[in-house]
Amino acid sequence: MAIGERIKYIRNLKNFTQKYLGQLIGFPEKTADIRIAQYESGTRTPKADITKELAKALEVSPLALDVPDIDSELGLMHTLFALEDIYGLQAEEKDGETKLSFSNASVLRAVKTWAEQSVKLKAGEITKEEYDEWRYNYPKYDTDSEYVKLPSDDLNNAMLEAFEDKLKNQ
């Protein structure tokens, strides 16, 4: 989720208008809503000092607004929080273990397919190279995915031409 989408999401959670949020961070009343709308739509990106002011006004960490850097643990955590907001990621304790799960059905299907590939790797049914090829080309080799159910453009065009020819010959 981009920074503008995060600003909008959290602003709506707080029941703030764009104008109110803009005024909270010091924009003039005349342009406060316009500036926030520009950030939320992505036509402008707030500079670091504005992001800090927005975070302060929204009572969140600036990391909750920024596009997370997953190369750090804090960035990863804020990525997981965003996934909770967007895809229903849930963290739970079960039988003394911490587990992550998704409530979004299509994401859950995709994660289950990933788990199946991981199990195959651990069982020696596929090599690390095959596993990596599957991951880095996803969803190309995922025969269970909804993403690969559509015919290719070439096949689709050939089918359309055949159908058009059939209609002409009737």
Side-chain angles (χ1 to χ4, degrees):
M1 188 183 283
I3 188 167
E5 294 170 301
R6 297 297 299 157
I7 292 167
K8 182 177 183 176
Y9 184 84
I10 295 170
R11 177 182 61 76
N12 286 329
L13 282 177
K14 300 283 186 176
N15 292 315
F16 289 176
T17 64
Q18 290 175 330
K19 184 179 238 29
Y20 179 72
L21 178 57
Q23 288 178 295
L24 273 179
I25 66 167
F27 292 146
E29 183 179 354
K30 251 184 169 176
T31 60
D33 55 338
I34 295 167
R35 289 287 296 273
I36 299 301
Q38 289 172 333
Y39 296 147
E40 290 181 358
S41 69
T43 55
R44 289 182 78 155
T45 303
K47 293 188 168 120
D49 60 328
I50 299 291
T51 300
K52 286 180 185 175
E53 289 300 315
L54 286 164
K56 185 177 174 184
L58 293 166
E59 299 177 335
V60 297
S61 165
L63 292 171
L65 298 179
D66 277 333
V67 175
D69 171 12
I70 62 170
D71 291 334
S72 73
E73 289 178 18
L74 287 175
L76 175 60
M77 288 304 299
H78 283 278
T79 300
L80 295 173
F81 300 148
L83 292 173
E84 178 180 29
D85 294 340
I86 302 167
Y87 297 109
L89 177 66
Q90 300 165 352
E92 53 197 11
E93 289 288 326
K94 194 171 189 176
D95 300 326
E97 291 185 27
T98 304
K99 307 237 181 214
L100 296 175
S101 63
F102 287 92
S103 59
N104 180 291
S106 61
V107 173
L108 183 57
R109 251 190 326 273
V111 171
K112 282 184 177 183
T113 302
W114 176 22
E116 290 166 5
Q117 294 299 312
S118 182
V119 167
K120 286 180 184 178
L121 174 65
K122 289 177 185 165
E125 296 173 25
I126 60 174
T127 66
K128 175 75 165 110
E129 290 76 21
E130 291 170 318
Y131 176 71
D132 286 343
E133 183 174 359
W134 180 87
R135 287 188 313 145
Y136 297 134
N137 288 287
Y138 183 83
K140 182 177 179 181
Y141 300 117
D142 181 10
T143 57
D144 296 328
S145 172
E146 62 192 62
Y147 301 109
V148 295
K149 300 289 186 220
L150 299 172
S152 70
D153 285 342
D154 292 337
L155 177 59
N156 192 43
N157 291 338
M159 289 170 55
L160 283 172
E161 285 177 27
F163 183 70
E164 288 171 355
D165 287 343
K166 188 173 182 174
L167 285 176
K168 287 178 189 174
N169 294 334
Q170 287 184 349

